[in-house]
Amino acid sequence: MPLQKLSALIDAICNFVICNDSSLRSQPIIFNPDFFVEKLRHEKPEVFTELVVSNITRLIDLPGAELAQLMGEEDPKLPGANSTASGFFRSLMSLKRKDKGVVFGSPLTEEGIAQVSQLIEYLHKNLRAEGLFRVPGNSIRQQILKDALNSGTDIDLDSGEFHSNDVATLLKMFLGELPEPLLTHKHFHAHLKIADLTLFDEKGNKTSTPDKERQIEALQLLFLILPAPNRSLLKLLLDLLYQTAKKQDKNKMSAHNLALMFAPHILWPRNVTANDLQENITKLNNGVTFMIKHSQKLFKAPAYIRECARLHYLGSRAHTSKDDLDLLTSPGSKELQPLKSQKRSRLDTCHQEETQQRTEEALKELFRHVHNMPDSAKKKKLIRQFNKHPTALTPGSDVPASPAPRRTRSRSFSGLIKRKVLGTPVILERRSRDATPEPERVSKENIHLLQKCGSPAHMSQAKLKSLEGRKEESCRRMRAHLLSKDSSSL
């Protein structure tokens, strides 16, 4: 029974350390790993942008003008901007976008995304249609559906009035009529550089094999600094295209085929033609293909960005990876250094005090129980464990203290007489002898010289010598007294 109670107490302590609130143990813990990333993005966008861009430039080489365009400090310089060969085509597209509705042709907003999400939701249920996004739908039904979306009315797409090809074509139309591509003009040059990231051979020379890990990391960072509406819609779109490509055995639309359909709408600059892009067309199409295939990884912040954002708010001194340490020591991240200990203590004081109080109470009860156990080898072992860690395990003064170590005693008759007459000084003398042995004889001249020098160590030796003489004299007197008492009794 005592062992069972002891085990129960230990389990209670362990359960408390793991979770203080018993009501939470039966519930799943939901935690967004990008919580502090999103918090930093919304509350301090300048700090967040500087953090992300500094890591983008670590992966890809952006000259001064392209970096300024990415930061929004300069207007993007796009291919074909000075060409007159396709002037009529660009003018036609500009006139087409002047007739702006609530959704189509307007800058991207959360309200517009809410309307277009109806199309995406419907297409998720109809991914098996052959030639989806490639076969055009009926233009009349598309115009009816477009007018309904612009008016902001809810549409029952499951009624059977519209075909999946109508909805797919209208979604491409919506993306094509945005004032700028979904991935924005500022990011155009960065996407071209990401497509050029390749592996290196053993000699350090570039190969033609794409470096997928670095490309994924660069896209993760680039997507973090997209405008919030663009990022939201891009996530919905790439997830739809990913699921569509998984059904390519039914719809005949692979990731590459889908990229050919959507690259002009989400990545190509507006008012340019294929002739303006020339050799970059293959890079752009392959880039969109890569996004579709790896879409499930691209909307997670890299681990070091999460850690930096967490450090910015909590100021924790937890160990970080090499990338984290390099980032934290970079000149551009001084504002993201850990906060001072005073701020950390304010965040955790209440929880630590409560934890310490409950743990001490449990340890006190455990300590009492051990002392109430019958004498046994198990009890002695437990007491030794407490004595090894007195500051961590021994409770307050209200708990019986562990027994003091026994004082060593001499079993000789002379030792008994010394204890009766002198008491504890004899023990001190013996200890001092063990620590600093004295010479056998100390002359008066040496004692006088030692006192004159004033060294603490030598002074103690002289005092002990004189004390020893007084003790021997006391012992002689005690023996004489006992002998006289014995003779009188006889």
Side-chain angles (χ1 to χ4, degrees), residues 357-426:
Q357 182 180 359
R358 295 187 183 181
T359 304
E360 288 180 357
E361 292 175 357
L363 287 173
K364 287 179 181 180
E365 186 176 354
L366 179 61
F367 194 76
R368 291 192 193 97
H369 175 72
V370 170
H371 276 277
N372 293 333
M373 291 174 59
D375 292 336
S376 62
K378 181 71 175 180
K379 178 180 178 180
K380 293 179 180 179
K381 183 177 180 181
L382 291 173
I383 291 177
R384 284 197 298 270
Q385 292 295 328
F386 277 103
N387 292 335
K388 285 182 180 178
H389 308 281
T391 57
L393 294 176
T394 305
S397 59
D398 57 333
V399 181
S402 59
R406 293 185 178 182
R407 188 172 61 186
T408 57
R409 295 184 178 182
S410 172
R411 298 184 181 180
S412 65
F413 181 72
S414 61
L416 177 62
I417 294 174
K418 288 184 179 180
R419 286 196 301 274
K420 291 291 184 181
V421 177
L422 301 174
T424 55
V426 178

Side-chain angles (χ1 to χ4, degrees), residues 4-267:
Q4 294 177 354
K5 186 177 181 181
L6 178 62
S7 177
L9 286 170
I10 294 174
D11 291 341
I13 294 173
C14 293
N15 290 336
F16 169 73
V17 172
I18 294 172
C19 182
N20 288 331
D21 192 350
S22 58
S23 63
L24 297 177
R25 295 175 193 158
S26 59
Q27 300 179 3
I29 298 176
I30 301 174
F31 176 70
N32 178 15
D34 289 344
F35 171 78
F36 291 110
V37 177
E38 298 297 332
K39 182 178 175 67
L40 185 63
R41 186 222 304 267
H42 291 295
E43 294 182 357
K44 298 183 179 180
E46 294 181 358
V47 175
F48 179 79
T49 301
E50 183 178 357
L51 169 65
V52 175
V53 172
S54 65
N55 281 276
I56 292 176
T57 56
R58 178 173 54 86
L59 295 170
I60 58 178
D61 182 22
L62 289 175
E66 295 180 359
L67 179 60
Q69 294 171 28
L70 180 64
M71 297 287 289
E73 298 171 356
E74 293 184 8
D75 293 333
K77 297 179 181 179
L78 305 172
N82 299 324
S83 175
T84 57
S86 55
F88 174 77
F89 175 78
R90 290 194 293 272
S91 301
L92 179 62
M93 295 296 295
S94 300
L95 291 173
K96 190 175 182 180
R97 282 196 301 275
K98 285 184 179 180
D99 185 18
K100 295 182 180 180
V102 176
V103 177
F104 286 77
S106 300
L108 193 60
T109 61
E110 295 294 343
E111 293 77 9
I113 294 175
Q115 288 291 90
V116 174
S117 63
Q118 299 178 77
L119 307 180
I120 296 176
E121 184 179 354
Y122 171 80
L123 291 172
H124 268 290
K125 305 174 186 176
N126 299 271
L127 297 176
R128 297 177 178 270
E130 185 173 349
L132 190 65
F133 297 111
R134 178 172 54 83
V135 177
N138 184 277
S139 58
I140 297 177
R141 293 196 298 263
Q142 290 173 16
Q143 187 61 43
I144 295 173
L145 185 57
K146 181 178 179 180
D147 294 339
L149 290 173
N150 278 330
S151 63
T153 58
D154 293 332
I155 306 169
D156 184 12
L157 295 173
D158 295 325
S159 63
E161 181 181 356
F162 304 100
H163 191 269
S164 56
N165 289 333
D166 302 332
V167 179
T169 303
L170 194 64
L171 178 60
K172 289 194 301 180
M173 187 185 302
F174 167 78
L175 295 171
E177 293 185 9
L178 288 174
E180 69 172 346
L182 190 60
L183 292 172
T184 71
H185 287 138
K186 295 191 301 182
H187 292 190
F188 176 74
H189 293 289
H191 282 286
L192 291 178
K193 295 296 178 65
I194 291 174
D196 289 333
L197 289 176
T198 57
L199 295 173
F200 294 88
D201 58 18
E202 297 178 354
K203 297 181 179 180
N205 300 320
K206 292 187 67 174
T207 65
S208 59
T209 306
D211 191 343
K212 294 182 179 180
E213 292 185 2
R214 292 172 63 202
Q215 287 179 336
I216 289 174
E217 183 182 354
L219 288 172
Q220 287 175 335
L221 294 169
L222 203 58
F223 288 175
L224 284 175
I225 55 176
L226 277 173
N230 295 57
R231 191 169 189 267
S232 299
L233 182 56
L234 180 65
K235 189 176 188 305
L236 294 174
L237 178 64
L238 289 181
D239 185 61
L240 172 64
L241 300 181
Y242 174 79
Q243 299 298 333
T244 303
K246 287 178 65 175
K247 300 287 192 303
Q248 60 180 316
D249 57 329
K250 303 294 183 182
N251 54 40
K252 311 301 181 185
M253 295 298 292
S254 64
H256 182 69
N257 292 336
L258 292 169
L260 296 177
M261 297 292 105
F262 280 89
H265 302 302
I266 68 174
L267 188 52

Side-chain angles (χ1 to χ4, degrees), residues 314-315 317 338-347 349:
L314 299 184
R317 295 185 182 274
L339 299 180
K340 294 184 179 180
S341 58
Q342 183 177 1
K343 185 174 181 179
R344 293 199 306 273
S345 61
R346 289 199 301 267
L347 294 172
T349 298

Side-chain angles (χ1 to χ4, degrees), residues 270-285:
R270 291 292 183 256
N271 303 333
V272 300
T273 64
N275 292 331
D276 296 328
L277 297 175
Q278 296 179 358
E279 73 277 1
N280 290 329
I281 290 181
T282 302
K283 289 183 181 180
L284 298 175
N285 292 339

